[in-house]
Amino acid sequence: MAYMDGFVAAVPTKNKDEYLAHAKVTAEVFKDHGALKITEGWGDDVPDGEVTSFPMAVKCQADETVVFSSVVWPSKEIRDAGWQAMMEDPRMNPEENPMPFDGKRLIYGGFDIIFDESL
């Protein structure tokens, strides 16, 4: 079965266009290195929780928006090789394609896909 990376970040709301430009370049790099699908979601209905929530997890400030992203790969092996190749890809150089948000508050992880109705 396929493999998925998930990401949650707090992006300054004023940087939405910059974020989208960054995401489009990054998506191109992901696809060039084996990814099947990249999805970017700009927070619209992301409530604060009492114990935990997306905004709390990324320490989202009043002038920021939570972003949820995913990347689907054919397998974990292709994902691992793709990530290694991406780290060497000049398009991922922070000077060429800077992250328009605080990367220290980015939450990410890899997941075995155990169910996907669309595949």
Side-chain angles (χ1 to χ4, degrees):
M1 174 112 359
Y3 196 80
M4 179 177 90
D5 284 309
F7 309 87
V8 180
V11 178
T13 304
K14 67 180 183 178
N15 290 356
K16 184 176 182 180
D17 291 339
E18 291 172 50
Y19 180 82
L20 185 56
H22 169 79
K24 287 179 179 182
V25 170
T26 302
E28 192 176 291
V29 176
F30 274 119
K31 285 187 174 182
D32 287 350
H33 294 293
L36 300 173
K37 180 179 179 181
I38 295 90
T39 304
E40 294 285 345
W42 188 260
D44 175 59
D45 184 13
V46 187
D48 286 320
E50 290 184 28
V51 177
T52 188
S53 66
F54 284 121
M56 291 168 67
V58 294
K59 298 182 179 177
C60 192
Q61 304 298 311
D63 62 343
E64 295 177 320
T65 301
V66 173
V67 174
F68 183 87
S69 308
S70 66
V71 179
V72 176
W73 303 87
S75 67
K76 184 174 189 311
E77 294 76 24
I78 292 172
R79 177 263 199 171
D80 290 347
W83 269 107
Q84 186 170 349
M86 285 177 54
M87 295 300 109
E88 299 169 10
D89 192 305
R91 294 172 291 178
M92 294 303 291
N93 181 329
E95 293 164 8
E96 298 295 319
N97 187 19
M99 291 190 297
F101 58 92
D102 181 1
K104 292 178 183 172
R105 292 186 285 145
L106 173 72
I107 297 173
Y108 62 93
F111 301 85
D112 286 319
I113 296 176
I114 59 172
F115 178 78
D116 183 341
E117 191 174 325
S118 69
L119 291 180

